[in-house]
């Protein structure tokens, strides 16, 4: 069997580009471009309760590989060296974590701080600006520019619109002095929005700044469910926000829904889904509620007896998938749907889709640079990728930024993963299975200097039962996820995860 770390050959010496951050120039024979062409012939997911129950185990969502459970304490000066040695020509995707919320949603497992003090956001913004300055001084610019290029920006939380309109303008205008942004109609600039927390001019301000994509947290439109999770709003409010965003020219509007919430039934969720379809968002994310009150204090407000049973949850999922696909939405994978003309759907059909800590993305050639408490960065250097995370405690994060003002060697990241070449290989396989339902052996051989069938012989043997159950099809060309397996793509990917069964068998939520 070939050894990826063998000294007898130069592993990956057939690839000049980074396996997951720079994709090859699109060619007609790109193995990951869909041969099915349009949504009318796109491979739709097949919902099979028996098969789903058989394979419904806990597993990662693979927004990275290795996953965040592999973090270890970061050595001194490593973050500085990573940023200094970053490839200057690689564009950036910037992520800003805004942790504040005015209301506690009981289902939430995000890193958040509940506060009604408006001054908290102003103080936090100053820390963000200091962190931006601190990291920017370490970044080189491309030869033809004085500033690093940004192709993508995302504000998440928490509630990013906890920042006032003026604070949002201040952040955006400061960023323009530090980075070169693609024009508004070419870049991907997005923000998560709580529809209940929008000022009269907030959407207009965001659009004027350059934001072109918004994501609305809706979760459910049934009032009984909303009261049970402490997130109450009307369908009319959501629709009005959607209409305003569309009138302002936002390119893509996403709505988040959750199935498995207290007091939800297949009928009530179906009404929500159909009402949302009438609003016609460009994308939908339909998440499975994972009830883990022992880990997330807010979830202790939800009574176990109020939750739908597993059979009801499965019915909800099946109904939702059928309703959305009948309405013309393309199933992207792992909870995500998009209209066939949305950039996400187009990227999948053209073999250009990627995943990172922001989920599915069309900007796979970017290094991800995170700012704020708990934020995550992914930076590629040569054949290594580093994944870094800032401290998850606000006071500790702020203390590190304060310390950096007197000692420039202090950096905010406290955890790191240094990926090996072997990790990069497995990441490439996992991400293509999750993004394109396919892995092409010849492509892997050319990029990584191995014989994929020989190298992954154990994994191929483990996939035998999935092939018998018609979740996948394997031959000498590669592995293709079939309609019955599309909802279980994470299960297929898990076979290639070297870390999973060794250390983290029960640390993740269930696949369905």
């Amino acid at each position: 069997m070939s050894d990826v770390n063998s000294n007898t050959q130069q592993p990956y010496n057939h690839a000049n580009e980074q396996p997951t951050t720079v994709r090859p120039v699109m060619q007609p024979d790109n193995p990951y471009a869909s041969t099915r062409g349009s949504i009318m012939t796109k491979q739709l997911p097949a919902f099979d309760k028996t098969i789903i129950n058989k394979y419904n185990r806990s597993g990662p969502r693979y927004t990275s590989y290795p996953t965040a459970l592999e973090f270890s304490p970061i050595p001194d000066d490593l973050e500085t060296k990573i940023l200094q040695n970053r490839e200057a020509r690689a564009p950036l995707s910037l992520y800003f974590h805004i942790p504040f919320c005015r209301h506690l949603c009981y289902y939430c497992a995000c890193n958040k701080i509940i506060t009604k003090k408006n001054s908290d956001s102003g103080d936090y913004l100053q820390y963000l600006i200091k962190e931006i300055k601190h990291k920017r001084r370490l970044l080189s610019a491309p030869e033809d520019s004085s500033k690093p290029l940004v192709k993508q920006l995302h504000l998440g939380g928490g509630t990013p619109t906890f920042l006032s309109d003026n604070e949002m303008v201040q952040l955006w205008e400061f960023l323009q002095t530090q980075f070169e942004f693609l024009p508004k109609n070419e870049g991907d600039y997005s923000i998560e929005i709580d529809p209940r927390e929008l000022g009269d001019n907030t959407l207009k301000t965001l659009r004027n700044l350059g934001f072109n994509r918004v994501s609305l947290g809706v979760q459910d439109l049934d009032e009984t469910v909303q009261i049970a999770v402490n997130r109450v709003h009307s369908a009319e409010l959501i629709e009005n926000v959607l209409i305003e965003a569309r009138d302002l020219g936002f390119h893509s509007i996403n709505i988040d829904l959750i199935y498995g919430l207290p007091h939800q039934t297949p009928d009530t969720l179906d009404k929500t889904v159909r009402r949302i379809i009438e609003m016609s968002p460009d994308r939908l994310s339909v998440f499975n509620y994972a009830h883990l009150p022992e880990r997330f204090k807010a979830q202790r407000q939800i009574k176990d007896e109020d939750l739908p049973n597993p059979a009801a949850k499965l019915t909800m999922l099946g109904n939702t998938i059928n309703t959305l696909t009948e309405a013309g939405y393309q199933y992207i994978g792992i909870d995500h749907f998009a209209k066939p003309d949305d950039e996400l759907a187009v990227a999948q059909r053209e073999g250009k889709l990627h995943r990172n800590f922001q989920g599915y993305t069309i900007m796979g050639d970017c290094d991800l640079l995170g700012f704020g408490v708990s934020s995550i960065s992914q930076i590629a250097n040569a054949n290594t990728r580093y994944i870094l995370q800032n401290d998850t405690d606000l006071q500790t994060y702020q203390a590190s930024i304060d310390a950096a003002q007197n000692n420039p060697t202090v950096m905010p990241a406290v955890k790191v993963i240094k990926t090996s070449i072997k990790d990069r290989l497995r990441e490439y396989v996992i991400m293509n299975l999750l993004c394109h339902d396919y892995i092409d052996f010849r492509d892997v051989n050319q990029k990584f200097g191995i014989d994929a069938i020989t190298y992954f012989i154990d994994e191929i043997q483990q996939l035998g039962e999935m092939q018998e159950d018609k979740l996948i099809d394997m031959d000498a060309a590669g592995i293709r996820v079939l309609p019955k397996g599309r909802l279980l793509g994470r299960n297929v990917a898990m076979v290639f995860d070297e870390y999973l069964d060794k250390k983290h068998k029960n640390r993740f939520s269930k696949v369905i």
Side-chain angles (χ1 to χ4, degrees), residues 60-81:
R61 298 177 62 81
Y62 292 115
T63 52
S64 73
Y65 182 84
T67 69
L69 292 181
E70 303 308 319
F71 273 127
S72 60
I74 189 168
D76 292 342
D77 298 331
L78 180 57
E79 184 176 11
T80 296
K81 293 175 181 176

Side-chain angles (χ1 to χ4, degrees), residues 39-294:
I39 186 64
M40 300 307 295
T41 54
K42 173 71 182 175
Q43 175 172 282
L44 298 176
F47 187 81
D48 186 317
K49 282 189 178 182
T50 302
I51 289 295
I52 289 174
N53 281 321
K54 177 178 178 178
Y55 287 96
N56 193 17
R57 54 173 289 201
S58 300
R61 298 177 62 81
Y62 292 115
T63 52
S64 73
Y65 182 84
T67 69
L69 292 181
E70 303 308 319
F71 273 127
S72 60
I74 189 168
D76 292 342
D77 298 331
L78 180 57
E79 184 176 11
T80 296
K81 293 175 181 176
I82 292 169
L83 295 179
Q84 286 176 331
N85 296 325
R86 191 189 81 89
E87 172 54 62
R89 293 174 299 176
L92 286 169
S93 172
L94 306 183
Y95 173 75
F96 296 87
H97 189 76
I98 313 299
F100 305 111
C101 295
R102 286 187 174 84
H103 310 279
L104 176 64
C105 301
Y106 297 155
Y107 57 80
C108 186
C110 298
N111 186 290
K112 61 193 175 296
I113 297 168
I114 307 302
T115 178
K116 294 184 184 296
K117 287 176 57 181
N118 292 333
S119 60
D120 285 345
S121 60
D123 295 341
Y124 185 73
L125 176 59
Q126 296 311 307
Y127 279 96
L128 285 180
I129 288 174
K130 291 176 183 177
E131 184 184 2
I132 295 165
K133 289 180 179 178
H134 195 45
K135 289 181 174 178
R136 171 63 185 89
R137 67 183 176 83
L138 300 171
L139 300 174
S140 299
E143 293 180 1
D144 58 349
S145 177
S146 61
K147 295 181 286 189
L149 175 65
V150 172
K151 294 175 65 174
Q152 186 177 54
L153 176 144
H154 182 73
L155 269 65
T159 305
T161 47
F162 191 95
L163 296 178
S164 70
D165 293 356
N166 288 336
E167 288 165 347
M168 198 72 71
V169 170
Q170 184 182 350
L171 174 61
W172 186 272
E173 290 182 346
F174 175 72
L175 287 170
Q176 307 304 306
T177 69
Q178 303 295 306
F179 300 97
E180 186 74 33
F181 283 76
L182 282 182
K184 296 178 183 179
N185 61 336
E186 296 179 24
D188 182 31
Y189 309 130
S190 61
I191 183 169
E192 298 170 12
I193 286 177
D194 181 345
R196 304 170 301 173
E197 301 294 338
L198 277 179
D200 292 341
N201 295 310
T202 300
L203 279 178
K204 185 176 181 180
T205 299
L206 292 171
R207 187 69 187 109
N208 287 339
L209 289 175
F211 286 89
N212 51 30
R213 189 162 60 83
V214 292
S215 180
L216 310 180
V218 175
Q219 322 318 346
D220 198 296
L221 294 178
D222 183 87
E223 186 177 13
T224 302
V225 176
Q226 291 179 355
I227 292 171
V229 299
N230 198 37
R231 190 183 180 97
V232 179
H233 51 69
S234 67
E236 289 71 27
L237 172 65
I238 306 303
E239 188 167 33
N240 288 339
V241 172
L242 215 89
I243 291 170
E244 183 184 359
R246 191 169 286 124
D247 289 344
L248 288 169
F250 283 90
H251 298 171
S252 184
I253 303 169
N254 177 79
I255 281 183
D256 289 345
L257 300 177
I258 298 177
Y259 70 95
L261 293 174
H263 300 296
Q264 242 178 12
T265 69
D267 286 342
T268 62
L269 182 61
D270 187 60
K271 290 177 182 176
T272 288
V273 171
R274 293 183 184 279
R275 183 71 177 91
I276 293 296
I277 288 173
E278 291 176 2
M279 301 181 195
S280 193
D282 302 283
R283 303 178 187 178
L284 288 103
S285 302
V286 186
F287 298 108
N288 168 30
Y289 172 61
H291 190 56
L292 301 168
E294 66 281 2

